[in-house]
Amino acid sequence: MSLPLSSPKWLTNCAQILNSFICFIVFFIFDLLDAVFCVIYRILDKHIEGESSPCCCSKLEKQNKKLLNHEYDGESDSLYERKSIFREMGFLQFGRKQEDSNRKCGEIRPLNRWSDCGCESCLSWVNGGDYKLHFVVKEPVMEHCRGNYPSENVIFLHGFLCSSSFWTQTLFPCVSENVNNYYRLIAIDLLGFGKSPKPRDCSYTLKDHVEMIQKSVIQPLQLSSFHLVAHSMGCIVALSLAAKYPTCVKSITLVAPPYSSSESSDASLNAITKLAGKKLWPILSFGSAFMSWYEHLGRTLCLVYCRNHRIWEWILKFITRKRDLHFMTIDLTKHTHHSAWSSMHNVICGGAKFMDSYLEILTKARVRINVIQGDQDQVVPMECCRNIKLKAPNAEINVIPNADHSTVLFGREKEFSYSLEHTWESVDRSKLQ
């Protein structure tokens, strides 16, 4: 007769309790450290720049934005409502009221914070005055498709901590001859990433991202119709853009979309819990939680790695004995902490409030929606694509076996390209009928 203590269920319960306890201790320490670094950065910013940079540790900052008539529409509740033991205790209110009252409206600040990299490459977007997004265009080969009006346009949007290289270095070289001949491919660096502008006074909301795409790409290139392809965070921006131009968008392909339902009044908070919940494992989930919940610890990581990216790149080149690093390694530092932090919350989390309405608009407009996700994705839960299907019944769901958040494209570029071409051609043929 076996003892109850030896049952697998009992062992599983013990493991879960132990994991929960360790998780609580680790993130409790992070809560404490983030509160400490909040005070440290407040002092350093005041000493180096003459004023403390605003942060999201206090709801007073949101109230201050309203008093100063700053744009705060579209900002995510997750910025100021994230639960922290020390924030709820009022630990972070020390000296903040006096600082906020001394902050002057319209005061000119440096283009980038002292903790961001100020090298020529990172500030290349400053030249030229009028800020516009950087984008790469692969023009069609056929003579009759050249000029301002190629037969078809495709806009590609990258995900979090990436750039247009995500598409230009992988998919663009692998497209078929037909796509090369008749499609104009446009890969964009989203606002705050890659070679695009990273303004310090921007909130990086969905509205900001869409307006910059409109100003930098759609209007100058006179795009009257286009297909959309997006990965990860770019899917949220793509849905917002498509909902604004439902009659212009022929199809939208969402690769690993971080979709969260808009049904709850706490949609933004639900999104951060679902997509970046406080977990120790897998490591990608832990990294997402660390960078999403802890503003000042994340800034410290950016200070150590991103600000000194040239040193780290030299070290990696020395270790690997390679002259050129992988583009993903380079892209990882091509942002400021403010642009990444704000985009994470105001796009991925804040965008959750609008996702259902965007899908309803596209469904009514009969825009073809194609969703692709790997079944081993540890960043975006599989339930995201299933929930899109519930909200947009006509959406086509394609689950790629043994593929994760990156290998859904990497390593299978040809297959991915054929899938996209099939979607575009089938849509274009149906338009002609």
Side-chain angles (χ1 to χ4, degrees):
M1 178 176 167
S2 61
L3 294 174
L5 292 179
S6 63
S7 67
K9 185 177 181 180
W10 180 86
L11 291 174
T12 301
N13 291 338
C14 284
Q16 290 175 347
I17 294 172
L18 179 61
N19 179 68
S20 298
F21 176 74
I22 296 174
C23 189
F24 172 80
I25 294 298
V26 170
F27 287 104
F28 176 84
I29 294 172
F30 286 162
D31 282 342
L32 174 61
L33 290 175
D34 200 60
V36 171
F37 274 96
C38 176
V39 177
I40 291 174
Y41 280 120
R42 216 184 303 166
I43 296 171
L44 289 175
D45 290 344
K46 182 73 174 178
H47 176 72
I48 297 172
E49 297 185 348
E51 71 165 350
S52 300
S53 297
C55 68
C56 304
C57 293
S58 170
K59 295 179 183 178
L60 290 174
E61 185 58 42
K62 190 172 185 177
Q63 296 170 5
N64 187 60
K65 284 189 176 185
K66 294 181 181 180
L67 291 174
L68 296 178
N69 295 318
H70 284 184
E71 180 65 41
Y72 60 91
D73 269 351
E75 289 198 344
S76 172
D77 294 335
S78 62
L79 280 170
Y80 302 97
E81 302 292 339
R82 290 167 295 115
K83 289 185 178 181
S84 168
I85 295 174
F86 299 96
R87 186 186 300 117
E88 293 170 4
M89 289 170 56
F91 180 83
L92 302 174
Q93 306 306 320
F94 176 74
R96 189 180 292 274
K97 286 188 177 181
Q98 181 65 32
E99 288 177 5
D100 288 344
S101 63
N102 291 336
R103 193 173 295 150
K104 297 178 181 179
C105 182
E107 192 171 292
I108 298 176
R109 291 186 287 178
L111 287 170
N112 65 321
R113 294 194 291 197
W114 63 268
S115 55
D116 294 325
C117 181
C119 73
E120 183 179 353
S121 173
C122 290
L123 292 179
S124 60
W125 58 272
V126 175
N127 301 325
D130 188 24
Y131 298 157
K132 289 189 178 181
L133 300 180
H134 170 80
F135 59 93
V136 178
V137 180
K138 183 179 176 65
E139 294 284 359
V141 174
M142 297 297 288
E143 290 294 331
H144 69 274
C145 292
R146 295 192 178 191
N148 294 326
Y149 302 98
S151 58
E152 298 298 338
N153 302 288
V154 186
I155 295 177
F156 292 84
L157 303 179
H158 62 81
F160 192 61
L161 301 186
C162 294
S163 75
S164 54
S165 299
F166 183 85
W167 299 109
T168 60
Q169 298 294 315
T170 57
L171 186 71
F172 280 23
C174 297
V175 295
S176 68
E177 183 180 355
N178 181 61
V179 172
N180 270 327
N181 288 339
Y182 299 106
Y183 288 82
R184 178 162 63 171
L185 310 181
I186 308 164
I188 302 173
D189 282 357
L190 291 175
L191 181 66
F193 298 93
K195 296 180 181 179
S196 283
K198 305 167 184 66
R200 184 175 176 178
D201 58 351
C202 179
S203 295
Y204 296 91
T205 61
L206 270 176
K207 181 181 178 182
D208 294 327
H209 283 282
V210 170
E211 286 182 349
M212 281 298 285
I213 293 174
Q214 178 180 335
K215 170 186 173 182
S216 307
V217 180
I218 294 178
Q219 291 176 351
L221 297 183
Q222 301 178 19
L223 304 184
S224 59
S225 67
F226 50 88
H227 299 273
L228 276 168
V229 181
H231 176 255
S232 193
M233 184 190 78
C235 296
I236 309 297
V237 180
L239 283 169
S240 181
L241 180 65
K244 186 171 184 178
Y245 294 94
T247 58
C248 298
V249 177
K250 292 187 171 184
S251 74
I252 178 169
T253 299
L254 307 174
V255 186
Y259 168 80
S260 186
S261 176
S262 310
E263 293 178 358
S264 170
S265 58
D266 297 326
S268 299
L269 294 174
N270 290 341
I272 192 174
T273 301
K274 176 192 291 186
L275 300 170
K278 294 182 177 181
K279 300 176 184 177
L280 297 177
W281 194 261
I283 193 65
L284 287 176
S285 297
F286 173 73
S288 297
F290 182 86
M291 296 302 292
S292 302
W293 288 84
Y294 302 106
E295 180 178 8
H296 302 288
L297 294 183
R299 182 179 176 183
T300 302
L301 186 61
C302 288
L303 169 62
V304 173
Y305 184 63
C306 298
R307 190 178 191 275
N308 302 290
H309 68 90
R310 289 173 294 179
I311 296 175
W312 290 108
E313 288 166 8
W314 181 87
I315 292 173
L316 288 173
K317 287 178 181 179
F318 179 78
I319 293 173
T320 60
R321 302 294 181 181
K322 293 181 179 179
R323 293 186 59 185
D324 298 313
L325 297 175
H326 192 274
F327 70 88
M328 291 288 284
T329 303
I330 303 297
D331 286 347
L332 197 59
T333 64
K334 298 301 181 183
H335 62 86
T336 64
H337 173 256
H338 175 63
S339 68
W341 169 263
S342 299
S343 293
M344 168 64 199
H345 285 275
N346 291 334
V347 175
I348 297 178
C349 299
K353 296 182 289 186
F354 313 109
M355 288 300 97
D356 289 353
S357 61
Y358 293 159
L359 289 172
E360 288 174 3
I361 290 172
L362 298 180
T363 300
K364 290 179 181 177
R366 296 184 178 181
V367 174
R368 181 165 178 175
I369 303 173
N370 187 28
V371 180
I372 303 174
Q373 185 167 356
D375 64 356
Q376 302 298 316
D377 196 324
Q378 297 181 344
V379 177
V380 176
M382 281 296 299
E383 65 182 278
C384 290
C385 64
R386 291 194 292 264
N387 290 339
I388 289 179
K389 182 70 174 178
L390 293 176
K391 205 64 188 179
N394 293 331
E396 299 178 13
I397 309 297
N398 185 12
V399 178
I400 309 301
N402 303 316
D404 59 25
H405 198 66
S406 298
T407 57
V408 70
L409 171 62
F410 297 167
R412 53 183 307 273
E413 291 86 354
K414 282 285 186 182
E415 184 181 349
F416 190 92
S417 174
Y418 292 149
S419 173
L420 288 179
E421 184 178 355
H422 174 74
T423 298
W424 301 336
E425 288 186 342
S426 62
V427 171
D428 295 334
R429 282 197 300 268
S430 64
K431 296 288 185 182
L432 294 174
Q433 293 175 355

